[in-house]
Amino acid sequence: MYKNKPLFVLYTPAQISDIIQARLVGNAIPLVQHLLIDSRQLTEPAHSVFIALTTERNDAHQYIYGLCQKGVKTFIVNHIPENCVSFQEDVCFLVVPDTLKALQQLATYHREQFAIPVIGVTGSNGKTIVKEWLYQLLKSDYTIARSPKSYNSQVGVPLSVWQLNHKHSLGIFEAGISEVGEMAILSNIIKPTIGVFTSLGSAHDEGFENTAQKLKEKLQLFVDCETVIVNALSIDDGHLQLINKNVFLISRKPDATLRIIDIENLYTHTVIVANYKGNRITINIPFTDAASVDNAITCWAVLLHLNIAQQDIEKRMPLLQAVAMRLELKLGNNNCVLINDFYNSDINALEIALHHQKQQNRGGKKVVILSDIEQSGKLSWELYEHVAKLMAQFHIDTLVGIGKELSSQKDLFEMDAHFFENTEAFIRESKTNPALQFHNSIILLKGARSYGFESISKYLQQKSHDTVLEINLNRLIHNLNFYRSQIDKDCRLMCMVKATGYGSGSTEIAFTLQHHHADYLAVAYADEGVELRKAGIHVPIMVMSPEESSYDDMIEYRLEPEIYSFKIARDFLHALQSKAISESYPVHIKIDTGMKRLGFEEYQLTDLISLLQQEPLLRVKSIFSHLVASDDKAFDEFTNKQISIFENAASQIEHAIGYKVLKHICNSGGITRFKQAHYNMVRVGIGMYGVGFNEAEKQHLENISSLKTRISQLKQLEIGETVGYNRKGIATKRTTIATIPIGYADGFSRKLGNGNYAVFIHGKPCKTIGNICMDMCMLDVTDVNCKEGDEVIVFETTEQLMELSKSMETIPYEVLTGISSRVKRVYVQE
């Protein structure tokens, strides 16, 4: 259809200016192909337009200067930053009142250039799964543009639609909303010809007066659709009446377009029987959970509407693959880090994963292990030419290609590249070939399901037992942003990563915080900071407990000490002088306002000021103190007294030394309760990891950690038999017990034995029985249908973590930091 047209639609700044009604400033005339909203994801600067979005938490105009230096030529802004005026000869600025609206206008115009069918997907749940499964089911019939990941927001939808080019014959885009007025904007951008409504549930209820209002808002997506496919299995008749379009109805009722007759769960798969146009038809899917069944039925209806033959549908449905909604980051052998992103192998997903690998840059080599990309809709040379271009753009050091197609195009890769016909051949060769024995590398694994990349991951990762602490980095970012929303735009954030990130792993947490613009990190001891510096962390790091033996390392790695006594001040000053440091060195002055732990007290201020005035080598970076009970209203009077003492001390010091410094006293609990004491920096610790102590925090924070293990063995006990040391666990009835590989050496306290705590198997609580052993413990699973190898949840919600703390007679801090280092940390991110 577009044989004589160029593949991509390219825009000049003048054309963009007309589309978004901007004032054009500057002389550059590049051709724009890519939209950029994240300065960290720059790949093709000359052909990108950076849209400087402004939110309550961030103003992207601050990144324009750096992008100009990196070669970006086109910017959409609401003002031209003062430090960028000199670039006007080489770049062009498109000045608009609202950069988000401009992004949406540009995407709307771009969508209008393509007269192809577009499927718009919305609903309370299942949008991303339905979109991805439709791609899997239809990619042999169409060349498809679709939303990356869960790009369904006011920003995500324009970025998704922008992917359209003249080779695409179908678009599949999802749209999500959280309040009234949003869907009309998304509908105008997507302009779907076919609508898909997946479900109606409680998600985002807080943004609407009632369910009917939410449904009406979602239906705005379908205003101009020819047909709307509605999965009404979860919608009552009253709400269904609100849908007045040409409806393809999925229901159990006789008037349904696709009437569901029977759903039979057969343990490993599900058989679904329906009636369509008077015919009894059947599909078989490799899933058994209710959500997957609903989503598969929705996809079935779409394929029928698109006139895909039922016999073809029957062949495709059993091949549906689980959608990888997240990628995993694991520690590998030889100081490597593995990024597992299996089974989401297409060119768009590859680019997203490469951005994540770039984010994890630790100074070592970057390695990509990639399989053939199946059913891309592109010619082989064309597809792998694109892959080769991505490898160059992201500065990949080594590529391992697995599969016949990728191997056949090896001449396209002008880099260190190794090719194998299958996974087994790579593993076999890597055992003897030094070039494939990676050290100090970030390794991205990206493979189609048929290539079995689990075996590569297992081969490359550090060996450990079945107990893992899973850390959700998306939730960490969510919590960080919650605290950002509580402070002024100019107030900085210091993030606590001491005690190996409250048990979560300091390096991986620090990389995520650095990527999301944390202003400062804080560690307890210098060796923690040295480890972060060696890993590639470059943001400022404060050391809260500096020791004389570590001063040389602190100076070498530019770590900033907390100065809490005259001895520390003089000893560190001596260390600076002995290394012939001539430039002033940043230090942080600790004031004791009532903790009575560390810090200068009020009576010492005169001598402290005198010292700082006499020793300009010590440059005060911040003055801070520690609140004793910021989360407890009963001690608010004492907290306010602490704040008053701190303000007085900080004011005296700042006035005496003659320059402004950072000031911080609020910890996690204080940030939400004592906003008058934010000053110009706050410290966030346990709250960032998901533990809140007041209602404002509990309502918004998400627990980032899940402690999981698996059943090692099942046994039957008869009445009177005992289990474990000292025969403490006695069967009072015929009992089934499960042994799991977690014990007090892993941080699972002996206090939890003998029924004092319940873990969860298949969502059901299972109490401990008998004493907790060093490496394992036993559970009573009599009333649970389980088998060896099944997953066991020790905790995954804040409530479960608090209950575990209560049972251990301690606080969440101790639980998290007490999880042993032999428990493998696995990091997940959507």
Side-chain angles (χ1 to χ4, degrees):
M1 182 164 70
Y2 296 107
K3 185 167 58 175
N4 298 320
K5 292 186 178 182
L7 179 60
F8 298 104
V9 180
L10 304 177
Y11 298 91
T12 66
Q15 289 173 318
I16 296 175
S17 178
D18 289 340
I19 294 166
I20 64 175
Q21 299 178 312
R23 177 170 62 91
L24 179 57
V25 179
N27 298 319
I29 50 171
L31 289 175
V32 170
Q33 181 182 340
H34 307 288
L35 299 183
L36 180 68
I37 62 166
D38 188 336
S39 61
R40 300 161 296 187
Q41 296 189 354
L42 178 65
T43 55
E44 292 192 48
H47 299 294
S48 298
V49 55
F50 179 72
I51 301 98
L53 298 177
T54 302
T55 67
E56 290 182 2
R57 299 168 182 163
N58 191 36
D59 183 350
H61 290 78
Q62 64 184 301
Y63 309 120
I64 292 175
Y65 181 83
L67 288 170
C68 287
Q69 292 181 316
K70 292 178 180 178
V72 177
K73 300 294 184 184
T74 312
F75 298 87
I76 296 176
V77 300
N78 61 30
H79 68 277
I80 301 173
E82 291 183 8
N83 61 351
C84 298
V85 173
S86 61
F87 287 106
Q88 290 180 19
E89 290 299 316
D90 301 313
V91 304
C92 59
F93 295 100
L94 298 152
V95 186
V96 295
D98 186 334
T99 53
L100 173 59
K101 183 178 178 181
L103 168 64
Q104 294 166 342
Q105 290 172 325
L106 187 55
T108 299
Y109 179 88
H110 185 71
R111 166 67 182 93
E112 291 169 351
Q113 310 313 301
F114 303 92
I116 61 172
V118 168
I119 299 173
V121 184
T122 194
S124 297
N125 304 103
K127 295 184 290 294
T128 301
I129 300 295
V130 166
K131 176 204 67 185
E132 291 298 321
W133 278 359
L134 286 175
Y135 172 77
Q136 292 179 25
L137 294 164
L138 292 170
K139 62 185 178 182
S140 60
D141 304 288
Y142 299 90
T143 301
I144 301 172
R146 73 192 196 280
S147 308
K149 301 189 290 186
S150 300
Y151 277 30
N152 58 30
S153 66
Q154 299 292 303
V155 173
V157 167
L159 297 178
S160 300
V161 169
W162 187 261
Q163 295 178 104
L164 282 169
N165 64 54
H166 286 308
K167 195 161 188 175
H168 292 126
S169 55
L170 177 69
I172 309 175
F173 303 114
E174 58 175 293
I177 56 169
S178 57
E179 58 185 44
V180 172
E182 291 183 334
M183 190 60 88
I185 297 171
L186 302 185
S187 178
N188 194 41
I189 297 169
I190 297 173
K191 292 184 174 61
T193 57
I194 300 169
V196 174
F197 191 86
T198 60
S199 64
L200 183 63
S202 59
H204 300 297
D205 273 355
E206 65 276 8
F208 304 92
E209 293 178 1
N210 50 48
T211 303
Q213 185 189 50
K214 181 170 68 174
L215 177 58
K216 286 180 180 178
E217 179 68 17
K218 287 183 178 292
L219 294 178
Q220 290 294 311
L221 179 63
F222 309 134
V223 167
D224 296 317
C225 285
E226 300 161 5
T227 302
V228 180
I229 297 165
V230 178
N231 188 329
L233 295 173
S234 63
I235 304 177
D236 61 44
D237 290 342
H239 290 131
L240 196 57
Q241 291 175 3
L242 297 173
I243 307 173
N244 55 15
K245 300 292 295 182
N246 182 19
V247 172
F248 184 120
L249 187 65
I250 304 165
S251 173
R252 291 183 177 273
K253 296 182 178 179
D255 61 344
T257 316
L258 180 66
R259 181 164 67 89
I260 305 304
I261 298 172
D262 187 40
I263 298 174
E264 186 178 5
N265 187 318
L266 298 175
Y267 190 64
T268 59
H269 62 284
T270 302
V271 176
I272 307 168
V273 183
N275 184 288
Y276 179 64
K277 294 185 176 180
N279 298 314
R280 185 183 178 91
I281 58 176
T282 302
I283 58 170
N284 186 329
I285 65 169
F287 303 94
T288 57
D289 62 288
S292 294
V293 170
D294 271 1
N295 293 332
I297 291 172
T298 302
C299 293
W300 189 11
V302 175
L303 269 64
L304 290 169
H305 176 70
L306 292 172
N307 296 316
I308 305 298
Q310 171 62 22
Q311 57 266 36
D312 291 334
I313 298 174
E314 290 173 8
K315 293 176 184 176
R316 298 176 191 181
M317 283 291 182
L319 303 178
L320 279 177
Q321 299 175 6
V323 176
M325 298 293 287
R326 61 190 191 177
L327 48 81
E328 293 183 339
L329 191 150
K330 298 181 177 181
L331 298 180
N333 298 319
N334 305 319
N335 200 34
C336 290
V337 173
L338 303 183
I339 300 174
N340 289 345
D341 195 15
F342 314 143
Y343 315 136
N344 199 1
S345 184
D346 63 80
I347 199 71
N348 291 336
L350 173 61
E351 186 166 357
I352 291 168
L354 288 169
H355 278 297
H356 187 79
Q357 184 184 38
K358 180 181 177 182
Q359 173 186 331
Q360 291 293 324
N361 180 25
R362 301 165 187 232
K365 287 188 174 182
K366 290 190 284 186
V367 177
V368 173
I369 302 178
L370 178 70
S371 79
D372 282 353
I373 297 175
E374 299 175 338
Q375 295 180 300
S376 70
K378 294 184 177 182
L379 296 173
S380 181
W381 69 266
E382 181 185 20
L383 171 64
Y384 294 109
E385 184 179 59
H386 191 172
V387 171
K389 185 178 179 182
L390 288 175
M391 296 299 109
Q393 285 177 353
F394 285 89
H395 305 292
I396 302 303
D397 297 292
T398 300
L399 170 71
V400 175
I402 297 178
K404 292 181 179 179
E405 283 296 315
L406 184 49
S407 299
S408 72
Q409 302 297 330
K410 61 184 179 182
D411 291 342
L412 294 170
F413 297 89
E414 298 178 357
M415 58 184 298
D416 178 32
H418 309 262
F419 297 90
F420 302 89
E421 189 168 306
N422 53 50
T423 299
E424 293 73 22
F426 161 67
I427 293 176
R428 187 167 56 249
E429 174 77 10
S430 66
K431 291 178 179 178
T432 57
N433 186 346
L436 298 174
Q437 294 168 359
F438 306 115
H439 294 73
N440 304 308
S441 300
I442 308 293
I443 305 172
L444 170 63
L445 301 182
K446 195 79 175 146
R449 179 174 292 274
S450 59
Y451 286 87
F453 269 29
E454 305 102 320
S455 58
I456 299 178
S457 176
K458 186 177 180 180
Y459 172 67
L460 293 176
Q461 76 184 52
Q462 285 183 358
K463 305 302 181 285
S464 59
H465 63 88
D466 283 336
T467 301
V468 300
L469 184 68
E470 185 178 278
I471 295 100
N472 188 310
L473 297 177
N474 292 92
R475 292 179 180 177
L476 176 76
I477 297 162
H478 167 86
N479 296 338
L480 181 72
N481 286 334
F482 165 72
Y483 284 107
R484 276 209 173 107
S485 72
Q486 300 298 301
I487 61 178
D488 290 340
K489 186 171 64 174
D490 296 329
C491 185
R492 301 189 188 187
L493 268 177
M494 175 180 281
C495 299
M496 314 303 290
V497 293
K498 61 180 181 174
T500 60
Y502 287 65
S504 298
S506 56
T507 302
E508 288 71 23
I509 296 294
F511 265 105
T512 302
L513 296 172
Q514 177 173 274
H515 187 70
H516 288 273
H517 305 297
D519 300 291
Y520 253 94
L521 301 179
V523 297
Y525 296 100
D527 56 351
E528 295 175 308
V530 170
E531 179 184 349
L532 295 182
R533 285 283 188 254
K534 287 181 175 179
I537 298 298
H538 55 74
V539 297
I541 299 173
M542 180 176 80
V543 178
M544 303 188 75
S545 298
E547 298 171 314
E548 188 173 357
S549 59
S550 65
Y551 289 166
D552 288 349
D553 281 343
M554 291 181 62
I555 295 167
E556 180 180 352
Y557 290 96
R558 200 67 181 177
L559 304 175
E560 304 174 9
E562 168 186 318
I563 302 295
Y564 57 81
S565 71
F566 292 110
K567 182 180 187 307
I568 292 286
R570 294 188 180 102
D571 287 350
F572 190 73
L573 186 62
H574 177 73
L576 291 172
Q577 292 166 342
S578 67
K579 282 188 161 290
I581 303 296
S582 57
E583 294 183 1
S584 58
Y585 197 95
V587 298
H588 301 261
I589 304 300
K590 175 72 173 288
I591 305 298
D592 186 352
T593 57
M595 180 71 81
K596 300 303 179 185
R597 192 171 60 177
L598 297 174
F600 294 98
E601 299 200 40
E602 284 184 282
Y603 75 87
Q604 296 176 303
L605 288 179
T606 301
D607 291 339
L608 172 62
I609 288 170
S610 177
L611 173 68
L612 294 174
Q613 288 175 326
Q614 293 171 17
E615 302 293 352
L617 201 54
L618 299 180
R619 176 79 179 184
V620 180
K621 189 69 176 182
S622 83
I623 306 168
F624 73 105
S625 189
H626 204 114
L627 296 178
V628 172
S630 60
D631 56 310
D632 194 334
K633 289 184 179 180
F635 296 107
D636 280 1
E637 182 178 350
F638 186 82
T639 299
N640 283 314
K641 181 181 178 182
Q642 282 192 274
I643 292 170
S644 176
I645 293 171
F646 175 72
E647 287 183 352
N648 177 59
S651 176
Q652 287 187 54
I653 295 170
E654 198 171 49
H655 176 75
I657 60 179
Y659 53 86
K660 297 292 183 181
V661 302
L662 295 170
K663 295 181 284 290
H664 47 109
I665 192 172
C666 279
N667 52 10
S668 296
I671 292 172
T672 54
R673 299 195 63 241
F674 295 94
K675 296 193 175 186
Q676 80 278 13
H678 286 178
Y679 308 115
N680 50 11
M681 188 153 74
V682 296
R683 300 187 306 274
V684 58
I686 192 71
M688 190 171 62
Y689 300 92
V691 179
F693 293 97
N694 60 58
E695 289 308 313
E697 292 176 343
K698 290 177 182 178
Q699 183 179 352
H700 292 95
L701 297 179
E702 298 178 357
N703 180 47
I704 76 165
S705 303
S706 303
L707 184 58
K708 303 177 180 181
T709 188
R710 294 191 178 275
I711 296 174
S712 300
Q713 190 174 24
L714 294 172
K715 287 182 179 290
Q716 295 292 333
L717 295 186
E718 301 300 331
I719 296 175
E721 287 191 303
T722 62
V723 58
Y725 287 116
N726 304 115
R727 305 193 70 190
K728 291 291 186 181
I730 304 173
T732 58
K733 63 181 187 302
R734 196 167 191 272
T735 303
T736 303
I737 64 164
T739 300
I740 60 174
I742 184 172
Y744 59 78
D746 301 297
F748 197 70
S749 170
R750 280 173 53 84
K751 293 178 181 178
L752 302 173
N754 301 299
N756 289 325
Y757 186 66
V759 301
F760 294 85
I761 301 174
H762 303 316
K764 295 183 177 180
C766 301
K767 287 192 173 184
T768 57
I769 180 170
N771 286 338
I772 305 298
C773 309
M774 180 184 289
D775 309 305
M776 63 193 76
C777 64
M778 287 66 71
L779 311 172
D780 182 345
V781 296
T782 306
D783 299 323
V784 179
N785 181 17
C786 58
K787 61 184 184 300
E788 292 174 2
D790 279 0
E791 186 176 69
V792 179
I793 304 296
V794 180
F795 69 81
E796 64 179 354
T797 67
T798 302
E799 291 75 21
Q800 291 167 354
L801 174 60
M802 299 301 284
E803 185 62 32
L804 178 60
S805 306
K806 182 179 177 182
S807 298
M808 288 174 59
E809 300 177 7
T810 186
I811 57 177
Y813 297 76
E814 184 177 347
V815 173
L816 293 174
T817 59
I819 297 172
S820 167
S821 60
R822 76 176 184 178
V823 174
K824 178 173 63 177
R825 270 65 173 172
V826 176
Y827 302 87
V828 299
Q829 189 165 9
E830 292 182 3

